[in-house]
Amino acid sequence: MELEIHTSQGKGTGKKAKLSDAVFAMEPNDHAIWLDVKQHLANKRQGTAKTLEKSEVSGSTKKLHRQKGTGGSRKGSIKSPLFKGGARVFGPKPRDHHFKLNKKVKDLARRSALTYKAKDGAITVLDSLAVSAPKTKDFVAMLKAFELQGRKALVVLADRDKNVLLSSRNIPGTRVVLAGEVNTYDIMNANGLLIANDAIAPLEATLSE
């Protein structure tokens, strides 16, 4: 497939970028997308939830009253979960939510996500994203030219550009990544993708079968 190349001001250049059908026009796999997004969100979880068990609660271990003859239930400790301030039964413990996902599945998910965005017309190819100095105003103007101001935008670069990173870091909803760092969650979460023309080749090289 082919997409027109635009300037950062939103104007067409008359040139077209050729995109690989194996990456941008394949048969999408919804289950692979779901698995990859699930792993991405699971890996972000801290897993530090913790409640106190009976042995960890501060309090006396003295038996509250004798075992029999009171007409009431048996109570062994003030730290019992039955009392206010007592322990919690089967409460959460610190755990690791990470799980493994095969690289082929992750690549399939990213290709599927890019295919959906290409079908929706949410991918724009830019001739260049290089800026001479970090200016948030210029970056906002570029987003406005592509109707992405105030929306979620994913900007894909071929190489790390400090000026681009500094220009975009204070803009809510905007994320700048390298071609090799693109993940399924960011693609699906974005309203639009701005891909530098020189980032297409490394992106396809990363995801091609």
Side-chain angles (χ1 to χ4, degrees), residues 71-202:
S73 62
R74 295 170 288 183
K75 304 177 182 67
S77 169
I78 194 66
K79 298 190 290 183
S80 169
L82 302 175
F83 294 110
K84 181 179 179 180
R88 179 173 176 181
V89 181
F90 304 125
K93 297 180 180 179
R95 54 169 293 194
D96 184 4
H97 293 275
H98 289 62
F99 67 91
K100 183 180 181 298
L101 198 62
N102 291 337
K103 184 178 183 299
K104 287 186 177 181
V105 176
K106 295 176 72 67
D107 289 346
L108 175 60
R110 284 182 285 178
R111 295 199 306 271
S112 299
L114 288 170
T115 296
Y116 274 124
K117 290 301 179 181
K119 287 182 177 179
D120 294 339
I123 296 180
T124 302
V125 180
L126 302 181
D127 60 345
S128 176
L129 268 170
V131 292
S132 57
K135 289 186 178 180
T136 303
K137 182 178 179 180
D138 293 344
F139 202 92
V140 171
M142 181 187 70
L143 295 178
K144 187 175 182 180
F146 295 103
E147 300 181 353
L148 288 174
Q149 185 179 12
R151 306 179 73 198
K152 296 177 181 178
L154 179 65
V155 182
V156 183
L157 305 177
D159 300 301
R160 181 179 175 85
D161 190 318
K162 184 178 180 180
N163 290 334
V164 173
L165 293 173
L166 292 176
S167 299
S168 62
R169 65 178 179 176
N170 290 330
I171 305 176
T174 300
R175 179 167 168 77
V176 178
V177 297
L178 299 182
E181 299 174 349
V182 175
N183 63 67
T184 306
Y185 177 82
D186 287 338
I187 297 172
M188 298 301 296
N189 191 46
N191 296 116
L193 277 69
L194 301 178
I195 305 178
N197 189 30
D198 57 352
I200 294 177

Side-chain angles (χ1 to χ4, degrees), residues 34-112:
W34 178 80
L35 284 174
D36 201 10
V37 171
K38 179 183 178 182
Q39 188 206 36
H40 177 82
L41 295 177
N43 291 350
K44 292 178 67 175
R45 296 183 66 177
Q46 291 184 335
T48 55
K50 173 73 170 68
T51 57
L52 297 179
E53 296 184 351
K54 191 172 180 180
S55 62
E56 300 169 321
V57 174
S58 177
S60 173
T61 58
K62 179 182 178 182
K63 190 172 177 65
L64 298 181
H65 55 70
R66 58 195 176 118
Q67 180 85 344
K68 296 181 178 295
T70 64
S73 62
R74 295 170 288 183
K75 304 177 182 67
S77 169
I78 194 66
K79 298 190 290 183
S80 169
L82 302 175
F83 294 110
K84 181 179 179 180
R88 179 173 176 181
V89 181
F90 304 125
K93 297 180 180 179
R95 54 169 293 194
D96 184 4
H97 293 275
H98 289 62
F99 67 91
K100 183 180 181 298
L101 198 62
N102 291 337
K103 184 178 183 299
K104 287 186 177 181
V105 176
K106 295 176 72 67
D107 289 346
L108 175 60
R110 284 182 285 178
R111 295 199 306 271
S112 299

